[in-house]
Amino acid sequence: MSSQGNDPNAAATRTGELTKFQSNAVDVLSSINSLFTVAVFLGLSFASPNQKSIDPRSECNPDATMLKRLVLWEVISFSFFLFSSLFLKSLQLYINMLGDIKWVVRGMFYISVLTTTLGVASFTVSMAYLIQIQVGKMSCWIFETTLSVIFLAVMVFLGIVSYLVVTALTFSLTTDDFDQHLSSTTVFTTAASF
């Protein structure tokens, strides 16, 4: 431990910096949820009963079940994003008011990350339905539909994995970990200035 370890002012400064860091992490997650919430409403605008796909074959046009499923998955994803956003706002309030990160707050953060992840997954399902509604059903083996859905699934999977890893690592920083990060950043900044 550094010589600043027993200094109450240094400890308060480190705690304040950690609180600011974690509060900023919560802001980033809230922004992600807001972005997806807007996208959900855009997807809902395509759920009209007279919707026809680009493919000229009538059997490739969306049926009522497909339109209902689009709405269902859009509402489910919206619910996850809204829940996560409200959870994050209460977490941010706790962090800013009390500034002390406890296991309950970490639990709240991880619940919010989980619900955002479930929101992204359900939004991906709704996007797969939207692609089929616009381009044509996957059962018609339309190249563009199949490629779009596969590409969407792969990219979202990679995005979710990186999101889970980075957010878990970011928010699981303890005060000691944060002290190490600050000291290594200070050393790097000092060395770079020479």
Side-chain angles (χ1 to χ4, degrees):
M1 192 151 206
S2 67
S3 61
Q4 296 177 340
N6 296 329
D7 182 4
N9 292 333
T13 301
R14 285 191 311 274
T15 301
E17 289 171 350
L18 179 61
T19 299
K20 182 179 174 186
F21 177 75
Q22 290 175 327
S23 183
N24 287 342
V26 169
D27 276 339
V28 168
L29 294 177
S30 293
S31 298
I32 290 169
N33 286 342
S34 298
L35 177 71
F36 280 118
T37 302
V38 170
V40 165
F41 284 108
L42 289 175
L44 285 173
S45 67
F46 289 102
S48 74
N50 300 326
Q51 185 72 37
K52 302 243 186 265
S53 70
I54 296 171
D55 195 90
R57 295 173 286 176
S58 61
E59 66 271 12
C60 297
N61 285 328
D63 55 9
T65 302
M66 186 171 282
L67 294 170
K68 289 177 186 177
R69 287 181 181 160
L70 171 65
V71 172
L72 171 70
W73 285 104
E74 292 279 321
V75 169
I76 289 171
S77 65
F78 174 76
S79 300
F80 279 128
F81 293 133
L82 183 60
F83 177 85
S84 179
S85 294
L86 292 172
F87 229 61
L88 283 168
K89 287 302 177 187
S90 62
L91 174 61
Q92 190 171 36
L93 179 65
Y94 181 88
I95 290 170
N96 289 331
M97 295 299 288
L98 301 177
D100 190 17
I101 307 303
K102 299 185 185 305
W103 66 271
V104 173
V105 175
R106 284 195 183 171
M108 288 174 66
F109 181 80
Y110 292 129
I111 288 170
S112 182
V113 168
L114 175 66
T115 55
T116 297
T117 303
L118 292 172
V120 170
S122 55
F123 183 69
T124 303
V125 172
S126 75
M127 286 300 297
Y129 280 113
L130 182 60
I131 291 167
Q132 292 181 78
I133 289 168
Q134 292 296 306
V135 182
K137 291 181 181 178
M138 286 188 68
S139 60
C140 292
W141 293 101
I142 300 168
F143 174 76
E144 292 82 3
T145 302
T146 306
L147 183 63
S148 296
V149 171
I150 290 171
F151 187 76
L152 175 70
V154 169
M155 295 309 290
V156 168
F157 174 76
L158 294 173
I160 284 176
V161 169
S162 65
Y163 168 76
L164 290 174
V165 169
V166 170
T167 54
L169 290 174
T170 300
F171 209 79
S172 65
L173 285 176
T174 62
T175 305
D176 291 338
D177 294 333
F178 195 72
D179 287 345
Q180 273 186 319
H181 173 72
L182 284 178
S183 64
S184 66
T185 303
T186 304
V187 168
F188 179 74
T189 304
T190 304
S193 65
F194 286 114

